[in-house]
Amino acid sequence: MHCGCLAEGIPTTPGNYWISGVAFPDWAYKAESSPGSRQIQLWHFILELLQKEEFRHVIAWQQGEYGEFVIKDPDEVARLWGRRKCKPQMNYDKLSRALRYYYNKRILHKTKGKRFTYKFNFSKLIIVNCPLWGVQAPSLPHLLLGAPPLGRPALVPTGVQSEVGMKVALPRALPGPAPAQEAPVPALCLWDLIGL
DNA sequence: GGCGGAAGGG
DNA sequence: CCCTTCCGCC
């Protein structure tokens, strides 16, 4: 027993992991070494906080920009992160360094000019319980559909940014001709995650 | 505040 | 690998 930190069990389905009802590809977890005892990653934790209304005053999605969030109370977010990782000396300076390492990994990027504001590259996240994406795949050849094989991190072609994918993928009702077959309605999707 | 190099730990 | 710690620089 190290701290009072509890690790929420992450229910798994073959090939995918779940956070708060949203499925992510397993490459996002890189759990190849020790499947059961993977430490929580910072961006998982950020999504976790973003998901809970009780932390709305600490960290919240920025309305208007998909995937963009604002850390309203940096000290508190750092404190919570430090508690989870059993690192009592955690502060925003250190936490933000960890966030900066996500830039090269294309998980996050900074919203320049906006204080404590970052943005998720949701193009790297695959929502597997959205069959709609798979069905409509032909028109969106650049989108990542289906989990890439293990050890093969999917890369979005240069120039194709997350926003492109988001704008195309977001509408609940697709414009144009009505879908020929009844598209299965996703239980939970990206727009639920980002609070649309 | 925000950036990224460097060292180092688990 | 994924940070944590520290730091000089802008």
Side-chain angles (χ1 to χ4, degrees):
Chain A
M1 197 164 307
H2 313 99
C3 309
C5 37
L6 69 141
E8 282 175 38
I10 301 171
T12 64
T13 59
N16 296 284
Y17 295 77
W18 293 75
I19 299 177
S20 308
V22 179
F24 294 86
D26 48 9
W27 55 258
Y29 292 81
K30 299 197 175 74
E32 58 260 24
S33 50
S34 45
S37 60
R38 185 78 192 153
Q39 275 224 63
I40 184 155
Q41 281 173 252
L42 178 53
W43 68 274
H44 301 170
F45 180 75
I46 296 291
L47 283 177
E48 208 175 287
L49 293 185
L50 250 8
Q51 190 75 187
K52 299 178 181 177
E53 305 215 359
E54 52 198 289
F55 297 111
R56 274 271 168 88
H57 294 277
V58 166
I59 185 171
W61 294 111
Q62 180 86 285
Q63 71 284 20
E65 279 294 333
Y66 306 127
E68 194 173 286
F69 63 94
V70 187
I71 298 174
K72 297 178 179 177
D73 188 342
D75 292 342
E76 181 61 8
V77 172
R79 198 189 62 80
L80 292 165
W81 174 234
R83 198 186 55 147
R84 175 66 66 92
K85 286 287 291 290
C86 302
K87 295 284 178 184
Q89 308 308 314
M90 183 53 58
N91 57 32
Y92 180 70
D93 179 52
K94 295 168 187 171
L95 185 146
S96 63
R97 182 68 189 94
L99 290 179
R100 263 173 260 138
Y101 273 125
Y102 286 147
Y103 299 168
N104 287 336
K105 295 178 188 171
R106 314 241 267 99
I107 292 172
L108 279 186
H109 61 85
K110 189 75 183 66
T111 301
K112 288 166 188 174
K114 291 184 186 175
R115 224 176 166 219
F116 307 126
T117 304
Y118 300 81
K119 189 169 178 175
F120 276 98
N121 280 329
F122 275 128
S123 63
K124 287 205 78 178
L125 306 177
I126 301 160
I127 314 301
V128 295
N129 61 340
C130 282
L132 183 65
W133 288 31
V135 170
Q136 302 292 332
S139 58
L140 313 167
H142 58 281
L143 279 182
L144 301 170
L145 300 165
L150 273 167
R152 263 298 304 255
L155 292 174
V156 179
T158 326
V160 179
Q161 287 308 308
S162 58
E163 287 76 14
V164 178
M166 291 297 299
K167 287 212 171 74
V168 179
L170 271 170
R172 288 174 184 273
L174 290 171
Q181 70 271 29
E182 201 71 19
V185 180
L188 249 185
C189 240
L190 188 52
W191 33 86
D192 295 306
L193 172 68
I194 66 177
L196 291 182

